[in-house]
């Protein structure tokens, strides 16, 4: 049996293929929906020759949602890679560590105490979600810390699962206590992954947020390669483990928190996208980070296209479709694991 060899050339080709697939599904998504547009009509809109109705469909309804789905997938995929590498555990993700649940709790506070007063802004929600995720991450590390010992990755995950369950229960309890039916529906759809923030205002905030943090994480690819080998090995290679661990952890929390703030609960993407990328390009983070990000973007765009084009019962959130199409692959990975 010939062992598969991951090369730089192969990894670059796969990343290019993933980018092309995202573009293809984005075009299909723009041409599909309850109000169908032909490819020629979409092209006319993009070059400025569309009718008012066609411009409304593309620029106000479809294109913002497509851009949002790509950004959310990029953010969650990259955040999942960082957490799995730092903790050296393939089950680590923003969801399993409870970070996204902490962000969700602060999203609920935003809906109840800020948005209801009419004083909200586009920047307030991502910032509150980041604060919630950061507090959740800090609490997890604090409870897992033992003086004179390295932090146990398994201990972190178990603590995160416990705290995440608590955050989730509190979020559900507060959601059921909402008197305003529109607020309750919003939170229920957010928890299911609804891509609700398809507004250019939110996207203008999320785009630099995601791209800057992705650039920082990719810049630290060599550091992640060293940290993934273990703290002692990384120290031997001259890496300042604590400082790099803290910086990369904050970046991952910020990415996942911003993504779920305007996209909804897409925790499963942060878990499955790194696995898909690792199978395709191997463990080198110079290839793994972009591959996991693009895989996450592809999964979300594909799921959202299915949601809007296939006749399903009622308005099914995109997150549910992602779970349905991803679970079989994840079960396959578990079955193949040694």
């Amino acid at each position: 049996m010939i062992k598969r060899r991951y090369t730089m050339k192969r990894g670059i080709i796969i990343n290019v293929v993933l980018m092309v697939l995202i573009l293809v599904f984005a075009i299909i998504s723009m041409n599909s929906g309850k109000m169908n547009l032909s490819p020629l009509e979409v092209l006319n809109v993009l070059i400025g020759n569309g009718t008012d109705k066609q411009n409304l469909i593309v620029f106000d309804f479809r294109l913002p949602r497509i851009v949002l789905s790509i950004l959310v997938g990029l953010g969650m995929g990259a955040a999942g890679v960082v957490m799995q590498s730092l903790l050296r555990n393939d089950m680590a993700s923003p969801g399993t560590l409870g970070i996204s649940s902490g962000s969700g709790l602060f999203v609920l506070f935003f809906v109840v105490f800020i948005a209801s007063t009419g004083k909200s802004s586009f920047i307030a929600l991502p910032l509150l979600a980041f604060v919630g995720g950061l507090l959740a991450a800090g609490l997890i590390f604090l409870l897992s810390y033992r003086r004179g010992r390295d932090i146990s990755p398994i201990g972190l995950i178990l603590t995160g699962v416990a705290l995440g369950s608590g955050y989730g229960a509190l979020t559900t309890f507060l959601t059921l206590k909402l008197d305003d039916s529109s607020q309750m529906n919003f939170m229920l759809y957010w928890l299911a992954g609804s891509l609700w923030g398809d507004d250019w205002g939110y996207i203008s905030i999320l785009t630099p947020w995601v791209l800057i943090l992705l650039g920082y994480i990719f810049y630290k690819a060599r550091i992640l390669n060293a940290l993934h080998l273990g703290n002692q090995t990384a120290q031997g290679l001259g890496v300042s483990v604590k400082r790099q661990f803290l910086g990369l952890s904050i970046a991952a929390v910020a990415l996942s928190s911003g993504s779920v703030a305007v996209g909804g609960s897409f925790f499963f993407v942060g878990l499955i996208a790194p696995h898909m990328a690792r199978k395709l390009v191997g463990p080198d983070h110079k290839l793994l980070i972009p591959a996991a990000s693009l895989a996450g973007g592809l999964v979300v765009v594909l799921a959202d296209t299915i949601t809007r084009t296939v006749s399903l019962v009622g308005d099914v959130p995109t997150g549910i479709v992602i779970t349905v199409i991803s679970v079989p692959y994840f079960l396959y990975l578990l079955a193949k694991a040694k």
Side-chain angles (χ1 to χ4, degrees), residues 258-275:
S259 299
V260 302
V262 297
S265 177
F266 286 93
F267 309 145
F268 204 73
V269 177
L271 179 63
I272 197 67
H275 286 272

Side-chain angles (χ1 to χ4, degrees), residues 10-231:
R10 167 193 164 89
I12 292 174
I13 292 174
I14 288 175
N15 277 293
V16 171
V17 169
L18 290 173
M19 292 177 65
V20 171
L21 287 175
I22 289 176
L23 180 61
V24 168
F25 280 108
I27 294 173
I28 293 173
S29 186
M30 276 192 285
N31 287 296
S32 306
K34 295 180 180 178
M35 297 174 286
N36 288 330
L37 296 177
S38 67
L40 182 59
E41 289 174 329
V42 173
L43 179 61
N44 285 330
V45 171
L46 296 178
I47 64 177
N49 295 328
T51 64
D52 291 341
K53 180 181 178 181
Q54 292 170 348
N55 290 334
L56 180 68
I57 293 173
V58 173
F59 289 120
D60 289 2
F61 294 114
R62 293 186 182 168
L63 192 57
R65 190 176 178 94
I66 293 168
V67 173
L68 177 63
S69 63
I70 293 173
L71 289 173
V72 169
L74 291 176
M76 294 303 293
V81 165
V82 172
M83 291 180 180
Q84 290 180 9
S85 297
L86 291 179
L87 300 181
R88 301 186 297 281
N89 192 305
D90 291 343
M91 293 303 295
S93 74
T96 55
L97 286 175
I99 294 171
S100 295
S101 297
S103 298
L105 185 58
F106 273 65
V107 169
L108 177 59
F109 289 157
F110 170 86
V111 172
V112 175
F113 299 111
I114 299 178
S116 60
T117 64
K119 299 179 181 179
S120 61
S121 65
F122 289 116
I123 192 69
L125 181 56
L127 283 178
L128 277 176
F130 171 57
V131 171
L134 195 61
L135 289 176
L139 186 58
I140 292 168
F141 282 104
L142 181 63
L143 293 176
S144 302
Y145 176 75
R146 296 292 183 272
R147 179 176 295 182
R149 299 182 185 178
D150 290 335
I151 294 178
S152 168
I154 296 178
L156 276 176
I157 292 177
L158 292 177
T159 304
V161 169
L163 290 177
S165 299
Y167 294 140
L170 183 57
T171 300
T172 303
F173 174 77
L174 292 177
T175 300
L176 296 176
K177 290 294 183 179
L178 291 175
D179 294 329
D180 191 332
S181 60
S182 62
Q183 292 179 346
M184 184 173 71
N185 287 335
F186 169 80
M187 283 307 303
L188 291 176
Y189 272 88
W190 182 91
L191 290 169
S194 63
L195 284 173
W196 72 273
D198 52 349
D199 183 285
W200 288 117
Y202 285 115
I203 292 173
S204 66
I205 298 297
L206 184 62
T207 300
W209 184 297
V210 169
L211 295 182
I212 291 172
L213 290 169
L214 276 177
Y216 170 78
I217 289 174
F218 182 74
Y219 176 72
K220 295 292 184 179
R222 183 183 63 84
I223 302 297
L224 281 168
N225 282 337
L227 290 173
H228 190 62
L229 298 175
N231 292 345

Side-chain angles (χ1 to χ4, degrees), residues 243-259:
R243 182 167 59 86
Q244 298 293 346
F245 190 97
L246 179 62
L248 286 164
S249 297
I250 292 175
V253 170
L255 261 181
S256 60
S257 299
S259 299

